[in-house]
Amino acid sequence: MNGARRTDGDRRHRAAVLGSPIGHSLSPVLHRAAYEELELRDWSYDRFETDEAALPEFLAGLGPEWAGLSLTMPLKRAVIPLLDEVSDTAASVEAVNTVVFTQDGRRVGDNTDIPGIVAALRERGIEQVDSAAVLGAGATASSALAALARVCTGEVVAYVRSAARAAEMRQWGERLGLRVRTADWADADRALRAPLVIATTPAGTTDSLARSVPERPGTLFDVLYDPWPTDLAARWSAHGGAVVSGLDLLVHQAVLQVEQMTGRAPAPLHAMRTAGEKALAAR
């Protein structure tokens, strides 16, 4: 990432989030809140509906005023061949969610989801755990494993629905230097006994598990944020367990994006979170 961070003297003041669908994205709310707090009045942040087929042309059409891009699905992997450099963090999971345009015109890709997960856990006092469980095996699950490689000293059990997904999760574990064991989704209620549970599944998938929350749960990191709380998160909180939300992840990864794109640090975490909470409440 050398040379990727921008400086105040740069005249590039545009950024945006790309993906499909993109209308639901909170990224503009978070980044604009940061610009306001940092008094970056000549910065703008937009959203563009962009799929994999349209991405190369979109990138080719960007002018020198562009500082960076946030990427969501389905572009996190598709963008990699279009970049000049990819950080070790992004390469570890083959997923880029941040592109910074350097002063010499290079496109540099990074992944702020992974350190964002770590930062969100650290904010809740979770520095290290001796074991963990992951619910799901999609793209977010691989980032969760990469984050757990930094905070989990023991085994991670991933609960998945197919043998193919199980094999993928074990392969990610080997690649990340993490001990990953897989189990069938039918036994996912057992995951809830782990000191740290990361739920990476789509809305509604974990609702049936809510009735299985133990009396003294550990920490739940549910990557969803709309609608919120999920049934699982609500029951977890009711039993006194700590809950980290998808909004926490979204804000922490956006903080890192703002810092990379603008060159201003620290980004205003509190202002960004407040803006996100207000936007969700208004939906």
Side-chain angles (χ1 to χ4, degrees):
M1 290 298 291
N2 290 337
R5 190 178 297 276
R6 306 213 54 80
T7 64
D8 289 336
D10 296 328
R11 297 296 300 168
R12 304 185 179 192
H13 305 305
R14 291 197 69 185
V17 60
L18 313 182
S20 182
I22 201 60
H24 69 288
S25 176
L26 277 181
S27 291
V29 171
L30 302 181
H31 284 251
R32 290 168 186 169
Y35 298 164
E36 182 175 355
E37 189 74 11
L38 294 170
E39 299 184 347
L40 297 173
R41 297 183 180 88
D42 52 354
W43 279 72
S44 66
Y45 189 100
D46 304 295
R47 62 164 66 91
F48 293 95
E49 183 79 18
T50 311
D51 61 16
E52 294 165 288
L55 183 59
E57 183 177 356
F58 185 95
L59 289 176
L62 298 182
E65 74 276 13
W66 282 86
L69 297 170
S70 308
L71 301 177
T72 185
M73 300 303 292
L75 305 179
K76 292 184 179 183
R77 194 160 289 175
V79 75
I80 293 177
L82 307 175
L83 301 176
D84 299 302
E85 181 183 341
V86 175
S87 72
D88 291 342
T89 300
S92 72
V93 291
E94 298 179 1
V96 165
N97 78 328
T98 307
V99 177
V100 175
F101 302 105
T102 66
Q103 293 179 349
D104 57 5
R106 292 180 304 124
R107 305 168 179 171
V108 180
D110 194 15
N111 185 309
T112 63
D113 286 332
I114 295 167
I117 292 172
V118 174
L121 288 170
R122 191 166 290 154
E123 186 180 33
R124 301 303 174 88
I126 308 297
E127 298 277 350
Q128 185 174 293
V129 293
D130 56 14
S131 63
V134 173
L135 299 172
T140 306
S142 61
S143 291
L145 289 182
L148 287 171
R150 304 183 182 190
V151 301
C152 184
T153 59
E155 183 181 68
V156 175
V157 183
Y159 291 81
V160 300
R161 294 187 182 276
S162 71
R165 290 290 196 180
E168 288 178 6
M169 291 295 277
R170 290 193 296 269
Q171 288 170 3
W172 281 119
E174 291 177 8
R175 181 170 179 169
L176 295 164
L178 186 68
R179 283 188 286 160
V180 175
R181 177 168 62 86
T182 54
D184 192 272
W185 183 264
D187 298 320
D189 58 328
R190 298 179 182 176
L192 309 187
R193 304 169 193 166
L196 172 61
V197 180
I198 303 183
T200 69
T201 53
T205 306
T206 62
D207 287 355
S208 62
L209 298 177
R211 62 179 179 269
S212 300
V213 174
E215 285 302 315
R216 295 183 178 181
T219 298
L220 171 68
F221 196 146
D222 195 325
V223 302
L224 297 174
Y225 61 85
D226 188 16
W228 186 262
T230 62
D231 287 356
L232 180 60
R235 181 67 67 88
W236 201 277
S237 292
H239 283 221
V243 175
V244 185
S245 76
L247 181 60
D248 294 319
L249 167 58
L250 192 64
V251 170
H252 277 283
Q253 65 83 28
V255 160
L256 297 170
Q257 289 184 335
V258 168
E259 292 174 354
Q260 288 190 24
M261 293 179 192
T262 69
R264 298 284 294 276
L269 173 67
H270 177 71
M272 294 168 71
R273 176 180 277 128
T274 300
E277 290 172 345
K278 288 182 178 178
L280 287 176
R283 288 186 177 181

